[in-house]
Amino acid sequence: MSRNIAQTSFVLLCSYILWRLLRNFLVRSTLSNIPGPPKGSWWKGNFAQLYNNTCWPFHSEILQKYGTLIKTYGFFGDEYLYVSDPRALHHILVKDQVIFAKSRTFLLQAVVCFGEGLLGTEGIKLRIQRKLLNPVFSMRHMRGLLPVLTPVAHQMRDVLKRKVEKGEEDIDVQSCVSRAALEYIGQGGLGYSFDALDESKTNNYSDSLKMVTTFILPLLTYRQMLPYLMWIPRIVRRKFMEWSPFPGFQRIRKVVDTIHMASIQVYMNKKEGLARGDDAIVQQIGKGKDIISILMRANMATDDKTRLPESEVIAQMNTFTIAAHDTATSATCRVFHQLALDPKAQARLRQEILQAYKDNGNEDLDYDTLMSLPYLDGIVRETLRVFPPIPFNLRITNKNVVLPLLWPIKGKDGNEISEVFVKKGTTVVVGIQAANRNKAIWGEDAEIWKPERWLSPLPQSVADAHLPGIYASMMTFLAGGRSCIGFKFAEMEIKLSVSTVLSTFEIAPSPTEEIEWHMRLAQVPTIKGSSDPAPHLPLKVSLVKQ
Ligand code: HEM
């Protein structure tokens, strides 16, 4: 019996692969005239070149050679359109965002792991959630949130201080930044402390949150099956996961269960606090100013039609933590790495920060002061522009559509192409980093990290390009109805960490280790030449000389 099942599965798999390969010859491509690199492999296309630890040279090479609209290949001859043309990006992410959708497998994976939060919903449900959530992330709320996050920054500073009190040390700054990022989103997002900066404590909830993306990666192939499995009742799917002998399934099931149970517990505590009134809420971590408390109050005040069910509020808690942690860690680490490499920029920034503290009577800076420090702002913007933590993003067309271009390209036949017919089912690679580093937009020095560019007016070409990004004319936080809802939180967190650390410490490159940035779900720093895949950012840290 089991032999028959195995044989049938094998035949079905071979037929599927054969059909996918034959389809390329039988069905006429609408992208045949778009230039691009040859396939790197007959079955993986360019996928392994586009997406591997050190994929940066391949991206630079094809962008330089083929420009802002490139045809690349995915698995079994699937055609991918790699786009960084500003007008095309506007259509993909804003005007025709309903057609250029997230893949079904991506959405279902988010639902299975974290529930129906922003990462897992689409259509009307997404619009309802965004309508309620957008104001929760407003500048007014960020202003109230900064005093909740500041003690976390102090804790991070104290952890570092203990390590260097006897003198200069080589420290893995990534570990400290990552734990602080978890604590920021814990206290500021959930109104909950993971005790992430207390090295003597362990916390199953935070351990599971940290592991979940790592455990998902090896299951990427299996997730393709999710659309075909969702009709099976949840209880049966669950039993299958429980009985499955495959360790990868067991690992993910355990962390997802832990996350789910812990978030319900946090939610219930908040609910109880809200029911007991304002006095009880201010006693809680977050003092009622954290994102989930604000969301719960907004949800209670809204009408029945737009009120989110409890399960969706709980799902947002895990969604925010997952979406915030790796990205903000990546960005903050990148700022520290760049400052270590550029001592002049570091000294100039420290001077600006120390002056701001002095002007404020050596008290913690309030939101408006922190956000308006010009050089700090330039450093953060420039780092997010040149090194976006998520350098590209995928969408899939659910309809045939015409994509217009701002900059026409020359087709393989030598004719000019100013719009492209894109068939239903085409994968589109949204070139975030490609657009952020485009020389026609940012100037000849577009690829160079140069914070000073933000201190004077940007070239007219930036305004003329009309990149649709929601932040500083760049694509780092994307655009449209699925753009990053937490970008103001991220900006505040990075500035808070950088100003706190730089006012106390000097940082320099490690004398023994070289850093190499790897592509994962977000970019991560690793030690060049090391077999250890875990993120590390070893830097020489010492107390600022008075
Ligand atoms: C530097 C840090 C960050 C970067 C670069 C970043 C970037 C992004 C990008 C590119 C997306 C779109 C992803 C996609 O469509 O697949 C996104 C979505 C999202 N981000 Fe961020 N993010 C950052 C920090 C944060 C923070 C701190 C939060 C929460 C407090 C957050 C919450 C979210 C959520 C909930 C989504 C999904 C939005 C939706 O689909 O409607 N992000 N982010």
Side-chain angles (χ1 to χ4, degrees), residues 392-404:
F392 46 84
N393 206 251
L394 301 184
R395 293 289 188 264
I396 294 189
T397 47
N398 54 26
K399 249 189 188 182
N400 294 341
V401 62
V402 173
L403 193 59

Side-chain angles (χ1 to χ4, degrees), residues 157-431:
R157 182 190 57 200
D158 295 345
V159 168
L160 286 171
K161 237 182 185 172
R162 280 196 292 277
K163 291 185 197 282
V164 297
E165 59 194 357
K166 293 206 181 88
E168 175 183 289
E169 280 290 338
D170 247 21
I171 293 175
D172 183 2
V173 172
Q174 195 280 343
S175 152
C176 203
V177 169
S178 160
R179 284 182 284 128
L182 193 59
E183 201 53 24
Y184 284 133
I185 192 63
Q187 299 205 18
L190 277 51
Y192 169 81
S193 174
F194 292 109
D195 286 324
L197 283 156
D198 185 338
E199 286 163 294
S200 66
K201 290 196 178 150
T202 54
N203 179 311
N204 280 342
Y205 188 11
S206 62
D207 288 347
S208 301
L209 282 163
K210 276 192 267 181
M211 291 320 292
V212 71
T213 48
T214 312
F215 289 168
I216 284 175
L217 275 180
L219 303 178
L220 286 188
T221 322
Y222 297 95
R223 88 171 182 194
Q224 305 304 325
M225 289 188 257
L226 281 174
Y228 311 104
L229 299 176
M230 292 310 275
W231 60 270
I232 301 173
R234 195 176 167 276
I235 187 157
V236 179
R237 277 188 277 134
R238 225 203 117 74
K239 283 286 165 217
F240 171 77
M241 288 296 277
E242 279 169 19
W243 293 334
S244 162
F246 185 45
F249 286 170
Q250 292 307 331
R251 275 202 306 253
I252 195 82
R253 181 181 64 78
K254 280 189 190 139
V255 293
V256 165
D257 280 355
T258 308
I259 292 169
H260 186 62
M261 295 313 292
S263 50
I264 290 180
Q265 187 64 49
V266 175
Y267 176 82
M268 287 305 173
N269 287 347
K270 293 232 141 288
K271 195 173 161 183
E272 197 191 37
L274 278 175
R276 283 195 280 130
D278 285 349
D279 285 351
I281 276 288
V282 292
Q283 300 303 321
Q284 292 188 337
I285 290 166
K287 300 184 171 52
K289 294 182 187 302
D290 56 274
I291 301 290
I292 290 297
S293 294
I294 299 168
L295 170 62
M296 286 169 78
R297 282 197 292 261
N299 202 33
M300 284 195 296
T302 195
D303 59 73
D304 286 352
K305 268 197 219 145
T306 52
R307 182 166 303 129
L308 305 187
E310 278 191 336
S311 63
E312 287 181 28
V313 177
I314 294 169
Q316 308 304 342
M317 296 167 67
N318 300 327
T319 300
F320 295 154
T321 314
I322 293 297
H325 180 238
D326 288 354
T327 48
T329 303
S330 170
T332 311
C333 282
R334 189 68 91 153
V335 174
F336 286 137
H337 188 199
Q338 285 306 118
L339 290 172
L341 295 172
D342 190 336
K344 268 195 193 151
Q346 187 185 149
R348 181 173 175 180
L349 178 59
R350 181 172 301 107
Q351 202 181 8
E352 181 183 81
I353 294 164
L354 290 177
Q355 187 61 48
Y357 279 122
K358 200 169 158 203
D359 294 346
N360 202 38
N362 285 323
E363 294 291 323
D364 291 325
L365 304 180
D366 61 46
Y367 181 82
D368 294 292
T369 312
L370 181 67
M371 300 313 279
S372 62
L373 294 179
Y375 198 55
L376 178 61
D377 194 53
I379 296 264
V380 172
R381 283 177 189 230
E382 187 66 350
T383 308
L384 290 168
R385 181 186 73 82
V386 186
F387 306 109
I390 301 176
F392 46 84
N393 206 251
L394 301 184
R395 293 289 188 264
I396 294 189
T397 47
N398 54 26
K399 249 189 188 182
N400 294 341
V401 62
V402 173
L403 193 59
L405 304 175
L406 177 65
W407 297 315
I409 59 159
K410 202 179 239 182
K412 282 185 185 168
D413 62 5
N415 289 328
E416 197 179 87
I417 302 173
S418 54
E419 55 180 34
V420 193
F421 179 76
V422 187
K423 265 205 318 216
K424 176 180 172 177
T426 304
T427 299
V428 172
V429 181
V430 176

Side-chain angles (χ1 to χ4, degrees), residues 395-504:
R395 293 289 188 264
I396 294 189
T397 47
N398 54 26
K399 249 189 188 182
N400 294 341
V401 62
V402 173
L403 193 59
L405 304 175
L406 177 65
W407 297 315
I409 59 159
K410 202 179 239 182
K412 282 185 185 168
D413 62 5
N415 289 328
E416 197 179 87
I417 302 173
S418 54
E419 55 180 34
V420 193
F421 179 76
V422 187
K423 265 205 318 216
K424 176 180 172 177
T426 304
T427 299
V428 172
V429 181
V430 176
I432 295 176
Q433 182 163 299
N436 283 2
R437 293 188 184 190
N438 188 309
K439 290 184 181 164
I441 302 175
W442 300 94
E444 274 309 304
D445 58 359
E447 296 197 339
I448 301 170
W449 186 79
K450 210 169 149 189
E452 291 74 22
R453 81 174 72 237
W454 296 95
L455 299 180
S456 31
L458 293 171
Q460 184 56 32
S461 47
V462 176
D464 293 345
H466 294 293
L467 273 175
I470 51 166
Y471 170 78
S473 307
M474 63 184 86
M475 297 306 299
T476 305
F477 296 100
L478 234 53
R482 290 221 90 119
S483 58
C484 177
I485 202 163
F487 80 97
K488 288 194 197 84
F489 188 110
E491 190 191 13
M492 170 171 69
E493 162 182 348
I494 300 166
K495 287 185 173 177
L496 177 61
S497 287
V498 173
S499 59
T500 309
V501 169
L502 269 221
S503 61
T504 314

